[in-house]
Amino acid sequence: MLNIKDLHVSIEGKKILNGLNLSINKGEVHALMGPNGSGKSTLSYFLSGKDGYEIEKGSIDYNGKNLLDLEVDERANEGLFLAFQYPMEIPGVQTSFFLKTAINSKRKHQGLPEIDALEFAKLIKSQAQELDISSDMLRRDLNVNYSGGEKKKQEILQMSLLNPAMSILDETDSGLDIDALRIVSEGVNKLRNKDNSFLVITHYQRLLNYIKPDYVHIIADGKIVKSGDFSLALELEEKGYEEISKTAQ
Amino acid sequence: MAATEQTIKQVNKLGNSDYKYGFSTDVDDIKPPKGLNEDIVKYISSQKNEPEWMLDWRLKAFSVFNKMPKPDWAKLDIPDIDFQDYYYYSSPKSLKDKPKSLDEIDPEILKTYEKLGIPIKEQEKLAGVAVDVVFDSVSVATTYKKQLSELGIIFCSISEATKNHPELVKKYLGSVIPIADHSFAALNSAVFTDGSFVYIPEGVRCPVELSTYFRINAMNTGQFERTLIIADKNSYVSYLEGCTAPMRDESQLHAANVELVALENAEIKYSTVQNWYPGDSEGKGGIYNFVTKRGACRGNNSKISWTQVETGSAITWKYPSCILQGDNSKGEFYSVAITNNRQQADTGTKMIHIGKNTSSKIISKGISAGKANNTYRGLVNIQSKASNSRNFTQCDSLLIGNECGAHTVPYIESSNSDSMVEHEATTSKINEEQLFYCMQRGLNSEDAVGLIVNGFCKEVLQHLPMEFAVEAQKLVAISLEGSVG
């Protein structure tokens, strides 16, 4: 699915990723954990194709394609999804209209006609209900005056509607209370199947109690310093980043 | 050479196929020679079989025009206009004998409207819109006339009104925009070719949206539309005006005058979508749009609301205004002005508070991309007797790219201490993070810009009648194509 080799990336001359290797297969859930400034968010933005990053070295293969050849929207329509840490507010754009536009962009890419209005209404109603999103919220402007929890639920709603092959969750747990964390995690777990993959970026092991990863990686100074299974997350919780990074190096 | 061939040749020469509505219809024109003089004014009047009082009015306006300088307050770079280099009258030949129904209309003309997405017949049946179509200065079709006339509503061309309702035309024409207001107003008064006339009688609520589509379709034809709408006591009317124009090589002059009169308790809602040819990406060949629109709230409790979406023209100079004369009268101005490439727009409104308890609201959204310049210029004037009056103004500007400009020039004059005037203004650049977010959800950059800009304009677009709003949203997106990435 996703194969990152020896990735070196800088922002305005400052090196952020420093020889990162990561391989994610179909059906796997990987957790990426690390302290602030370790390069977690840079990796998620860079994979999504955001401007302002410079690649110095390395390659990224995505489903047999060179990911770096694709524009932001092409990556999205090829099934790469980023659940944002800070979802953007778009004033004046009704949430349901935005969702429909996103679905139709993907359908257009797949050569399908636009989604039928009735079909869309049914789809959005059932998915929103599962995430405890009210129909009133769908009528509001996208992310405008949403609480932190509502914004994150909105990201998961978009994820479930677009049904991506490769989802990156960038600190989706930040700012969530325990109920919202459970709802969001259940939403992600429902999407898990043998054909799609997840990269879950987080500071805390707490989220991983809900979304059980197959692999856990620890990132420090722009590269992965240690990988393991779920027990690594527990070990990290106990010892802290500094000690684990030290022993790894 | 036929008009179509000529246009195709020009289009090829320009190497510009960006203008979606850039085509021309093959209709033979009749026109007098180029140039502006008393004979032309007389010619226009005689072509229209006008009564003498109208000819006299035109000639008076022409002599005023000759004495007046061109207005120069706008932040616009207006090339010297050679008024002698324009044609001042043209009408499609097939209209010599006026058609009785749409079936008699030149199929070429009907085809043009179809390309624009305005199937008149479908509109008649489905949308319930009465359409007074202005094609090259002469009204070619008026629909729904019969149903409207049963209510006593007069909806016809201004030429017809001059003949059939001279008492109304005499009373109100030039009563809101005096001929000596400024030189473009005087020019229009001298050489106006046609336009719409609406009269809503006392106590009548017009059941349909009245609509006119203007279109320039002849080489170098200055368009001088004249519209007059009168809403008598306790009446209501919503009027829509939309424009698209075909590709042209030489600059075209357009100076319309629109006058609205609302009597006691009457309400007029006037909506415009303007998409005149803006010129190519270098600014060559676009329309000069110098429009004077003014409404008078003459009666107590009357209301006039202007909504405009301005996306076209090389130069837009336009300030739809309200004179709030009656006590408790209300004026509103909702505007979206988009400029791209080398377009220039200087637009805004004037709210003149004369009566007591008058209120006005101004919402202006300016979007500038490419190398364009967009200026909001507005006047709020509260006169000494307008006690307890209020105004709220909000001007937001959005910039796309680094080479465009946005300017806000509010004039506020208050001679009354009981009154309240509020002004808010913002200028921002299109947010790269928002664009990235939309594109991460699969939207291409143009769709993403269109979506964000439409959101930015929502407060204004929601005041347009439904079917018009949909068209306007598409237009907003089309106007900004190529502005990002």
Side-chain angles (χ1 to χ4, degrees), chain B residues 75-94:
Chain B
K75 186 179 163 41
L76 295 172
D77 181 15
I78 303 174
D80 273 337
I81 296 167
D82 181 359
F83 288 99
Q84 300 307 330
D85 198 34
Y86 287 94
Y87 291 104
Y88 287 85
Y89 186 80
S90 87
S91 76
K93 196 185 270 172
S94 54

Side-chain angles (χ1 to χ4, degrees), chain B residues 73-74 76 291 293 317-321 346-350 377:
Chain B
W73 63 77
L76 295 172
V291 188
K293 286 183 169 172
W317 178 102
K318 183 180 174 188
Y319 317 92
S321 303
D346 196 292
T347 185
T349 184
K350 286 187 273 184
R377 186 180 306 277

Side-chain angles (χ1 to χ4, degrees), chain A residues 9-29:
Chain A
V9 170
S10 61
I11 307 173
E12 290 168 356
K14 193 183 169 214
K15 196 123 178 211
I16 308 288
L17 297 180
N18 200 0
L20 186 133
N21 290 288
L22 181 63
S23 183
I24 300 175
N25 294 316
K26 259 189 185 179
E28 293 176 354
V29 175

Side-chain angles (χ1 to χ4, degrees), chain B residues 163-228:
Chain B
K163 271 171 238 151
N164 302 331
H165 309 282
E167 68 297 342
L168 287 170
V169 177
K170 266 189 199 168
K171 184 170 175 188
Y172 291 105
L173 189 72
S175 75
V176 188
I177 306 171
I179 49 178
D181 203 75
H182 57 80
S183 74
F184 296 132
L187 177 66
N188 176 285
S189 303
V191 298
F192 74 86
T193 35
D194 218 330
S196 295
F197 176 85
V198 177
Y199 173 77
I200 313 290
E202 191 173 336
V204 170
R205 198 181 160 85
C206 183
V208 291
E209 316 265 2
L210 299 180
S211 167
T212 303
Y213 289 86
F214 295 97
R215 185 169 172 79
I216 295 180
N217 204 54
M219 277 293 286
N220 286 334
T221 304
Q223 284 271 303
F224 303 97
E225 307 290 347
R226 185 96 200 184
T227 294
L228 177 58

